[in-house]
Amino acid sequence: MRQSCDMRLINRLAQNIRELRLANGWSQDDLAEASGLDRTYISGIERGRRNPTILVVERIANGLHVDPSMLLSTECQSAENQKTLPTNRKAD
């Protein structure tokens, strides 16, 4: 039972991060850059393969310009209810 609850939370986090990232037109590279994390780590989180610490969740939330609690919410708000994220990403 415990593992099932843990997996539901990890999957909710993964889904919300992906939903918010896509709603703002960001690639995993964009989110990684905004969060100061590696793209492969973002990918692992979004696939539910990584179990990030609360500090990493905070970094991702800051990169997305949302409250960290939004990433664990059972109902992720639509892009219209979110602050528009900057799209002027630094070119490589």
Side-chain angles (χ1 to χ4, degrees):
M1 178 76 172
R2 177 76 180 151
Q3 185 176 16
S4 177
C5 291
D6 290 347
M7 287 309 297
R8 282 196 309 249
L9 186 61
I10 290 168
N11 289 333
R12 183 181 319 145
L13 174 69
Q15 180 180 352
N16 288 347
I17 290 172
R18 180 175 166 79
E19 183 179 314
L20 287 166
R21 176 180 63 77
L22 292 175
N24 288 286
W26 280 16
S27 68
Q28 289 179 343
D29 284 320
D30 294 331
L31 178 55
E33 182 180 329
S35 304
L37 298 168
D38 191 86
R39 186 209 51 83
T40 59
Y41 192 61
I42 297 293
S43 174
I45 293 169
E46 286 189 359
R47 290 181 292 119
R49 305 275 187 210
R50 302 298 299 249
N51 186 6
T53 66
I54 194 69
L55 296 176
V56 169
V57 170
E58 181 181 43
R59 287 174 72 173
I60 293 170
N62 288 341
L64 289 167
H65 303 281
V66 298
D67 190 86
S69 65
M70 173 64 92
L71 300 183
L72 298 174
S73 174
T74 56
E75 293 185 24
C76 194
Q77 294 180 1
S78 68
E80 289 114 22
N81 295 334
Q82 293 299 313
K83 185 189 324 181
T84 303
L85 299 180
T87 56
N88 55 347
R89 307 298 302 160
K90 185 175 95 175
D92 291 334

